[in-house]
Amino acid sequence: MPTIKSLDDLKKIREEALQKRQAKVESGSIEIVVGMGTPGIAAGARETMKAILDFIEKHKIQDVVVRQTGNIGLDSWEPIVQITVGNNPKVTYGKVKADLVERIMKEHVIGGKPVKEFMIEA
Amino acid sequence: MAFYRSHILVSVDPECLQKGAHEIIDALNDELVRSGLLDEVQVLETSRLGDPHLYGPDIMVYPEGVHYVKLTKDDIPYLVEEHFLKGRVVGKYRAEEVSAAEEELGPPKPKEIRVVLRNCGKIDPENIEDYIAEDGYLALAKALTEMTPEEIISTIKTSGLRGRGGAGFPTGMKWEFTRKSEGDIKYIVCNADEGDPGAFMNRRVLESDPHSVIEGMIIAAYAIGARYGYIYCRAEYPIAVKRLQIGIQQARQLGLLGENILESGFSFDLEVRKGAGAFVCGEETALMASIEGARGEPRTRPPFPAVKGLWGKPTNINNVETYANVPQIILKGPEWFASMGTEKSKGTKTFTIAGDAVNTGIIEVPLGITLREIVYDVGGGIKDGREFKAIQTGGPMGGCLTKDHLDLKVDYETLAAAGSIMGSGGMVVMDDTTCMVDIARFFMEFTQDESCGKCIPCRVGTRRILEILERICDGKGKPEDLDTLEELCVQVKRNSLCGLGQGAPNPVISTLQNFRHEYEAHIYEKKCPAKVCRALISFTILSEVCTGCTVCARNCPVGAISGERRQPHLIDQDVCIRCGICAQVCNFNAIEIN
C-alpha cells in the first residue's frame, strides 16, 4: 500500500474504502459481522466464527464476506452476529452460540428469511 | 407523506419480542390487509410501553391512546374487527391502568450520545481502511496541514475537554504546560492501565476502535512537540494490546506514523508497553516509573510530568478516552463539543454500570445527566424489582451515594462535593440486599492489597481500617471503633502520597456518613440489617412451611440439616457454616434468615 503524503491521498483511500462498501451492497453480496471483543470471545464468538466459516465452506456459498468487529454495547447478548444481505436492513442476532449457526445460515443466508426468534432488534 | 387515521405502536422491547411481538405485528398486518384498512391504519414498532413482564406483548393505539396488553396473535382478528372496523374499544384486552398517553407521545429523548464509542461494534478494528472510511485520520490531516500547534491547543482549551482518567484536569492547559516546558525531547504517554474493578470502558475503545486513540495521540504529540510516545496498556487486556500493535503497524505502513508525516516535517512514532499488573501503576508517576523499567511506585509532585516526566523529560500523559475525544473535537470544532455537558464539565463520558441494575455494561452519556437517569433510564432500574439503596461512583476510591443523591448532576465538581469522585467512570449500583459495612470492607480489602507500600499512612493505615471493618462484620465491633475509623480515614486521606491512599478511605467515610445506622446495628445490636455478614445471621427452617422434601439436606455441604422425609427438617446451628445454599435450593421459601 502506498504511503499517505497529503490530505488528498487520505481522501482517496477514504473514497476507495467507501466505494468498496457500496459495491458490496449493490452486488447483493452477503456480509456477516461477528462481534469479537473480550465479551464476545468469552461468550464463544471464536467458535461461532469458526462454525460460520465451516458452513460457508461446506455449502460452497459464494459472494459472502465474513469480518469481525469490536463490542456493540450489548455484552449480555454476546456472541452477536450481524448479517446484511445486499441492501436489505442489517439483522442483529444475539446469543449466537456455534450450534445456532447452522439454522441461521440455512434460513437467512441461503433461504433469505431472517430467523426472528434469535433477533435482538427489529 | 401518507396520512393514516390511526397508528398502532407495537412494543418490540426484547422481552416482548421473546413473547412473540413479531407474530403480533405480522398478524396485525395480515388482518389490516384482509379488512382493507392498510391505507388507514399504520403499524409501527416502538420500545417498551409498559412493564413487559406484566403486560407484554402489548400495543398502543393512537389517537385514542388505548393500551392493549398480554396479546396473542389469535386475539388480533377480533381486536382489529372491533376497534378499527366497528370503532369500539375492546375492554378485555385493555390495561387496567390507563397508560400516560401524553408521556408516550413525545419524541424519545436520547440519553446516550456516542462520541468516543461511535465506531465501536461498527468497524473492523484490525482494518485501518474501515477507520478511514469513517472519517478516520481526517482530523490528523487537518491538524498537520491547516493548524499550528498553538491553534490545536487553543481549540482543545475552548472545547473544555477535561482529563477522563478521573481527576478532570483541563486537557488543553496540560498540553500547553508541556509545550512550554523547556527541553528538546518530549514524550507523550497514554494511560491505558484501567485497573478499577468492574470498569472496562477503556478496554472497549482500545479493542473496538484503537485508531481513534492512536490518531488522538499523534495530534497531541504534534501540539506539544513530542517525537515519541508510549501506550501503557495493562497486560490483562491481551486483545487490546494486539489490536493496538496491529493499528500502529498499519498506521506506519500508510505513513501516518514515522518520519515526515503527511510531508509536514513532523515525525512521530509510538509503541505499546504492557502494564505490570499493579493497580498503582495507573497513577501517573508510578506508570512512568514502570515504563522506565523501575518499580511502579509513585513519587511526589511537583515536579509534574509536564515539567519532569519520563526519563526526566517533559511528558504529556492522558487517559485513553481523553485521546479518543481529540480527533472529533478537531474535526467538528470545539463549539460542538462544548454544546454537550454542563458549564464546567463538557462533552460525554463513558461509564460502566455494574451491580444490581437491570442493564449492566457500558454507556456513553453527556455530562450533567443525573444519577437517576443513569440508574433508571439507561440502566433500566433495579433487578428483580428490588429497592435502590446506594450507588458507588468512581471505582474503589469513590464514595457510596444514597437515593437522596439520585438527582445530582454527574460532573466532576458535583460528585466531589457529595463526597464521591468521577474517577474513570465505574458505577456500582446496589440494591437493598447489600450490606454497606461489607461493601466498605470489600473495597478496603482491594485498596489495602494494592497499596504499593511506599508511604506509611497508606500501607499501615489501610491495613488498620480493614482490620476494624473485618471485626465489625465479624460481630466483634467495639463502640469506640467508629471514632477510630473516622480518625484513621482522615489521617490516611491527608498524609498519603498519591491518589490511591488519598482516595482509599472514601468508601468508608461515605458509608459512615450515609449509612451510620448500619454500622451501629452491627456493633450494638450484633445484627446485619441486610442479612449479609455471616457471623451475624443464622438460618432456620420454618417447620410449618417445610414439606420435608429433603432437597436442603441433600445440598448442605456440611451435613448440618437433618430430618425424616415428609417431616420438617432442622438445621444444627453448631455445624452450619451459613453458606445460604439451603435458602437458594428450597422450593417452598421455608428457610428463614435471622
Side-chain angles (χ1 to χ4, degrees):
Chain A
M1 207 184 278
T3 56
I4 298 175
K5 292 215 168 62
S6 65
L7 183 57
D8 292 336
D9 288 356
L10 181 70
K11 282 188 173 154
K12 218 172 86 195
I13 292 186
R14 181 170 167 268
E15 287 310 312
E16 281 168 12
L18 287 171
Q19 270 168 17
K20 265 189 225 165
R21 278 192 194 174
Q22 190 56 28
K24 255 189 243 165
V25 170
E26 278 166 6
S27 67
S29 78
I30 300 153
E31 186 182 55
I32 303 174
V33 183
V34 184
M36 300 275 267
T38 296
I41 291 170
R46 281 201 212 281
E47 287 74 25
T48 304
M49 176 70 111
K50 196 167 167 292
I52 292 173
L53 295 174
D54 286 348
F55 187 93
I56 290 171
E57 201 177 316
K58 203 167 106 196
H59 293 77
K60 305 206 164 39
I61 305 173
Q62 300 292 313
D63 215 11
V64 56
V65 184
V66 182
R67 60 181 193 90
Q68 60 169 348
T69 189
N71 319 66
I72 73 167
L74 294 159
D75 293 0
S76 51
W77 290 87
E78 297 279 3
I80 288 171
V81 176
Q82 304 171 31
I83 300 182
T84 316
V85 181
N87 51 7
N88 290 319
K90 179 172 76 189
V91 175
T92 307
Y93 293 106
K95 299 191 180 169
V96 186
K97 295 276 184 186
D99 53 340
L100 294 186
V101 166
E102 177 141 349
R103 205 178 134 202
I104 292 177
M105 294 295 282
K106 262 194 188 142
E107 292 185 22
H108 190 171
V109 175
I110 298 180
K113 209 170 153 33
V115 191
K116 281 181 180 170
E117 56 186 288
F118 305 139
M119 278 162 57
I120 303 183
E121 46 196 320
Chain B
M1 209 180 108
F3 179 77
Y4 296 93
R5 74 170 159 96
S6 191
H7 295 269
I8 307 175
L9 303 182
V10 184
S11 162
V12 287
D13 157 284
E15 195 166 338
C16 292
L17 279 180
Q18 219 172 22
K19 290 183 172 176
H22 274 299
E23 288 177 14
I24 302 281
I25 296 176
D26 289 347
L28 278 168
N29 279 324
D30 289 348
E31 210 50 42
L32 290 172
V33 170
R34 203 193 324 266
S35 356
L37 290 171
L38 200 63
D39 297 333
E40 294 175 49
V41 182
Q42 191 182 24
V43 181
L44 297 166
E45 295 179 3
T46 186
S47 56
R48 59 191 280 168
L49 293 162
D51 185 354
H53 193 62
L54 293 174
Y55 293 139
D58 50 355
I59 66 172
M60 178 71 83
V61 182
Y62 286 120
E64 299 93 324
V66 180
H67 188 190
Y68 290 120
V69 299
K70 285 193 264 188
L71 297 170
T72 66
K73 65 176 193 290
D74 301 327
D75 300 334
I76 301 301
Y78 179 72
L79 187 76
V80 169
E81 195 193 337
E82 282 292 306
H83 191 119
F84 296 100
L85 273 181
K86 297 179 182 162
R88 294 196 288 236
V89 172
V90 189
K92 66 174 173 176
Y93 299 137
R94 218 176 155 167
E96 280 156 24
E97 42 171 334
V98 180
S99 249
E102 305 311 310
E103 199 181 86
E104 297 288 343
L105 267 176
K109 293 180 197 76
K111 296 273 160 64
E112 280 200 84
I113 304 177
R114 293 196 159 187
V115 176
V116 174
L117 301 176
R118 68 192 184 282
N119 288 332
C120 296
K122 209 166 132 192
I123 63 166
D124 181 347
E126 295 182 14
N127 184 350
I128 193 169
E129 273 181 43
D130 240 24
Y131 179 67
I132 292 176
E134 299 290 337
D135 293 339
Y137 290 106
L138 267 188
L140 175 70
K142 186 179 169 191
L144 289 189
T145 56
E146 294 169 15
M147 296 168 86
T148 63
E150 286 78 13
E151 278 169 2
I152 294 173
I153 289 174
S154 96
T155 303
I156 299 295
K157 271 177 151 178
T158 320
S159 75
L161 176 66
R162 295 171 66 175
R164 294 293 190 248
F169 192 81
T171 307
M173 271 168 73
K174 201 186 238 183
W175 289 14
E176 191 169 40
F177 290 146
T178 320
R179 176 162 186 84
K180 286 185 176 162
S181 284
E182 291 201 16
D184 301 337
I185 301 172
K186 287 174 187 174
Y187 292 104
I188 191 147
V189 175
C190 174
N191 184 348
D193 191 57
E194 186 178 43
D196 286 0
F200 45 95
M201 24 312 137
N202 291 351
R203 186 184 74 195
R204 169 162 301 162
V205 176
L206 295 168
E207 273 177 6
S208 309
D209 195 12
H211 285 288
S212 67
V213 181
I214 296 171
E215 187 182 3
M217 284 186 77
I218 307 175
I219 295 171
Y222 174 67
I224 66 155
R227 290 211 40 179
Y228 206 79
Y230 296 91
I231 302 177
Y232 189 85
C233 183
R234 66 190 301 217
E236 291 87 342
Y237 286 175
I239 299 169
V241 171
K242 186 180 133 216
R243 289 191 179 153
L244 279 169
Q245 281 163 342
I246 292 172
I248 291 173
Q249 206 184 354
Q250 287 173 340
R252 265 191 212 131
Q253 277 167 0
L254 284 179
L256 296 166
L257 277 174
E259 295 295 317
N260 197 9
I261 298 168
L262 296 169
E263 311 233 295
S264 64
F266 167 67
S267 305
F268 178 69
D269 213 340
L270 200 56
E271 73 174 270
V272 180
R273 280 293 171 97
K274 280 193 251 178
F279 179 66
V280 76
C281 285
E283 199 279 339
E284 57 182 17
T285 56
L287 185 151
M288 290 186 301
S290 177
I291 291 181
E292 289 172 9
R295 185 180 169 140
E297 278 183 348
R299 60 161 173 80
T300 44
R301 292 175 300 180
F304 285 95
V307 181
K308 251 184 148 176
L310 214 48
W311 288 292
K313 310 290 181 197
T315 302
N316 182 73
I317 175 160
N318 281 128
N319 167 270
V320 170
E321 202 185 329
T322 316
Y323 285 125
N325 267 309
V326 170
Q328 292 286 298
I329 295 174
I330 299 289
L331 218 50
K332 295 187 181 169
E335 294 78 18
W336 161 80
F337 190 80
S339 70
M340 298 177 286
T342 63
E343 194 194 334
K344 283 186 175 167
S345 306
K346 304 289 189 195
T348 61
K349 173 87 189 81
T350 56
F351 291 101
T352 312
I353 306 185
D356 300 321
V358 173
N359 307 324
T360 53
I362 289 176
I363 61 166
E364 182 172 355
V365 287
L367 287 167
I369 191 170
T370 62
L371 284 170
R372 187 182 299 281
E373 284 173 296
I374 290 182
V375 175
Y376 287 95
D377 295 343
V378 187
I382 310 297
K383 254 186 229 165
D384 304 328
R386 299 203 74 95
E387 214 32 44
F388 169 87
K389 181 167 185 180
I391 181 165
Q392 202 229 16
T393 68
M397 271 98 75
C400 293
L401 302 175
T402 65
K403 59 173 182 279
D404 297 334
H405 295 109
L406 272 179
D407 289 312
L408 284 186
K409 289 193 166 177
V410 176
D411 65 27
Y412 295 94
E413 279 77 24
T414 316
L415 286 179
S420 186
I421 53 169
M422 174 82 92
S424 58
M427 286 195 176
V428 184
V429 179
M430 293 169 249
D431 69 12
D432 53 0
T433 59
T434 317
C435 169
M436 300 315 289
V437 185
D438 185 57
I439 284 291
R441 186 197 57 78
F442 170 81
F443 284 116
M444 216 56 221
E445 199 178 348
F446 177 83
T447 38
Q448 183 271 135
D449 203 37
E450 292 292 352
S451 171
C452 77
K454 181 170 179 169
C455 60
I456 296 158
C458 174
R459 183 183 70 220
V460 183
T462 53
R463 179 79 222 166
R464 293 287 95 85
I465 295 176
L466 178 65
E467 281 168 4
I468 296 177
L469 290 173
E470 277 175 344
R471 193 160 70 213
I472 297 175
C473 287
D474 242 7
K476 294 170 189 151
K478 300 175 214 156
E480 65 268 25
D481 277 348
L482 292 184
D483 293 335
T484 320
L485 266 183
E486 270 171 348
E487 200 199 326
L488 265 174
C489 286
V490 172
Q491 297 295 347
V492 173
K493 201 178 170 75
R494 219 181 262 164
N495 300 321
S496 292
L497 179 61
C498 79
L500 200 162
Q502 289 161 8
N506 279 343
V508 184
I509 296 173
S510 62
T511 46
L512 267 174
Q513 196 173 12
N514 298 325
F515 299 95
R516 200 180 183 89
H517 54 277
E518 291 201 16
Y519 282 86
E520 286 166 353
H522 279 74
I523 295 173
Y524 300 114
E525 298 161 38
K526 305 288 175 212
K527 268 186 186 153
C528 176
K531 298 177 182 173
V532 173
C533 297
R534 283 188 190 172
L536 301 175
I537 53 173
S538 65
F539 292 86
T540 46
I541 295 173
L542 299 170
S543 54
E544 60 274 23
V545 185
C546 180
T547 61
C549 70
T550 74
V551 69
C552 56
R554 278 181 281 127
N555 281 287
C556 181
V558 289
I561 303 176
S562 57
E564 291 293 310
R565 181 168 271 278
R566 294 188 215 294
Q567 294 296 319
H569 282 47
L570 199 70
I571 301 177
D572 184 344
Q573 297 299 336
D574 293 335
V575 183
C576 177
I577 55 166
R578 301 173 183 97
C579 63
I581 289 175
C582 50
Q584 280 167 24
V585 296
C586 180
N587 294 318
F588 308 99
N589 290 327
I591 313 281
E592 195 184 39
I593 310 169
N594 304 307

